[in-house]
Amino acid sequence: SVYGFAVTLAASGINLAATRLVAEELVKGKNAAVYGVMRRCLGYCLCFGCLASFLLFTFAEPIGVHWLKNGETVRPLKLMAVTLPFVSMSSALSGYFTAVRRATKNALVLILEQCMKIGCAVGMLAFFPPQGLESACLILIGAGMVAELFSFTVSFLLYLVDRRRYAEGA
């Protein structure tokens, strides 16, 4: 639930905002403006994602020790903090794909992300058997982190290819 709150801070509303702003520009016939809208959305995501990441990383110890009453949660919280900027930017890219009616690309990326998360988790657990609850959590979070970075990278590359159709004069 702590991570869920951090994700909310990092990405709250950006999916819908990106969808609406991109769709508005397309309806107005301002295809070239889509790039600027997405640049601003991704900048917003980077700022709030980094803010949420900083806050979770900085306050992981007080949250783990005093709120959750378990010191073993501190390192997993710090590791989860690393993914927040990417989660946020992935949300904006998802909004873009919804606005341009290419939700299939986003759905495919999400399916690949889940497969990657499961594959990494199984592989990491097989090669690095956990020595306790904390190490098991770190392995599972690490697998999720790899999958999230993969998902963002694929989404961003698909966006870079797709945005060409909205270039000046398109």
Side-chain angles (χ1 to χ4, degrees):
S1 57
V2 172
Y3 182 68
F5 178 75
V7 168
T8 300
L9 177 61
S12 183
I14 192 60
N15 184 297
L16 181 59
T19 300
R20 180 172 177 184
L21 293 171
V22 169
E24 280 180 3
E25 295 303 327
L26 293 175
V27 167
K28 293 178 190 174
K30 297 181 180 179
N31 292 358
V34 169
Y35 172 73
V37 165
M38 283 309 295
R39 192 180 66 228
R40 287 189 299 278
C41 285
L42 290 171
Y44 170 90
C45 290
L46 193 59
C47 289
F48 275 86
C50 287
L51 173 66
S53 180
F54 172 77
L55 291 173
L56 183 57
F57 191 88
T58 302
F59 294 106
E61 190 165 340
I63 291 169
V65 173
H66 300 294
W67 288 359
L68 302 176
K69 307 273 190 230
N70 187 344
E72 289 184 323
T73 61
V74 174
R75 286 183 11 183
L77 286 172
K78 287 184 175 187
L79 188 59
M80 283 190 280
V82 175
T83 64
L84 291 172
F86 302 102
V87 169
S88 183
M89 290 188 291
S90 291
S91 185
L93 292 169
S94 173
Y96 166 83
F97 287 119
T98 301
V100 298
R101 296 182 175 177
R102 285 186 228 355
T104 310
K105 290 183 179 184
N106 188 54
L108 178 63
V109 169
L110 292 175
I111 291 168
L112 289 173
E113 178 184 349
Q114 291 303 314
C115 291
M116 175 74 97
K117 189 181 295 187
I118 292 167
C120 283
V122 168
M124 291 171 83
L125 287 168
F127 286 107
F128 307 105
Q131 302 302 313
L133 183 60
E134 183 184 30
S135 66
C137 284
L138 289 171
I139 289 170
L140 294 175
I141 291 166
M145 198 166 105
V146 168
E148 192 62 53
L149 292 173
F150 171 79
S151 171
F152 167 73
T153 302
V154 171
S155 289
F156 189 70
L157 292 173
L158 288 172
Y159 161 72
L160 290 177
V161 169
D162 194 75
R163 78 173 188 187
R164 290 181 192 168
R165 69 179 63 212
Y166 302 108
E168 204 69 59

